[in-house]
Amino acid sequence: MGEENPIKPYLHHAKYYETDQMGIIHHSNYIRWMEEARMDAMSQFGISYRSMEEGGIISPVVSVSCQYKGMVHFDDTVQIQVRVVKYNGVRLDLEYEMTDSITGELRTSGTSTHCFLDQGGRVISLKRDCPEIDARFRRMTGCQYVS
């Protein structure tokens, strides 16, 4: 995630209920945090997922991966940096880096891929079908289109 990123980091304060029996954050929560960070990143560019859904557009997760590098404990705060890897109006690929907000140490990295569907479940192109939303996603990439 070296180049200039137009997306501001998202902060998550680890909750007690997110821990497992060993006192560390349960692995399933990192995927939830990625979702929180994605929604936050979209809102930074005026993209409301609720408005998209009300307009008949959904963006399901096509794939997700997470690599655990270090432990997060209750009461830790992680900074989650989201970066758009690919966006072409039909597909959105994101990378996530979760770092300790105090030490800056990498705790977790991950990726997610999303597509855009209409209410009938058919793949759509935001570039063609919703140019105003497409323009906002393009601003998230920091450039026009990433193929």
Side-chain angles (χ1 to χ4, degrees):
M1 292 195 184
E3 67 269 2
E4 187 67 29
N5 188 349
I7 302 170
K8 294 178 183 80
Y10 174 75
L11 292 178
H12 180 86
H13 186 226
K15 312 296 187 283
Y16 182 77
Y17 71 85
E18 295 173 315
T19 62
D20 62 15
Q21 191 174 15
M22 296 179 289
I24 60 174
I25 298 303
H26 188 271
H27 67 276
S28 65
N29 289 297
Y30 296 91
I31 304 298
R32 290 181 180 96
W33 297 355
M34 289 163 54
E35 179 75 9
E36 290 174 18
R38 179 173 70 100
M39 292 293 116
D40 179 72
M42 288 171 57
S43 69
Q44 290 179 41
F45 292 85
I47 305 165
S48 162
Y49 196 77
R50 180 177 299 282
S51 295
M52 283 177 52
E53 285 187 335
E54 289 170 353
I57 302 167
I58 59 172
S59 182
V61 174
V62 175
S63 68
V64 66
S65 70
C66 203
Q67 297 78 44
Y68 306 99
K69 310 290 186 179
M71 292 181 265
V72 177
H73 298 88
F74 162 64
D75 211 26
D76 289 351
T77 298
V78 291
Q79 177 174 290
I80 306 170
Q81 182 64 65
V82 179
R83 185 175 74 84
V84 177
V85 176
K86 177 180 180 176
Y87 172 71
N88 63 11
V90 176
R91 175 180 166 164
L92 174 66
D93 292 351
L94 301 169
E95 284 182 348
Y96 308 83
E97 283 189 350
M98 298 175 216
T99 56
D100 184 285
S101 67
I102 295 171
T103 67
E105 292 177 46
L106 181 63
R107 298 294 185 218
T108 309
S109 60
T111 63
S112 66
T113 299
H114 310 264
C115 66
F116 301 96
L117 305 176
D118 65 15
Q119 288 179 319
R122 292 176 295 276
V123 175
I124 62 168
S125 167
L126 294 182
K127 183 178 179 181
R128 181 189 64 237
D129 300 327
C130 301
E132 67 287 344
I133 296 173
D134 175 70
R136 292 175 184 185
F137 272 110
R138 282 188 283 122
R139 284 203 316 272
M140 278 179 67
T141 70
C143 61
Q144 289 298 315
Y145 279 99
V146 181
S147 299

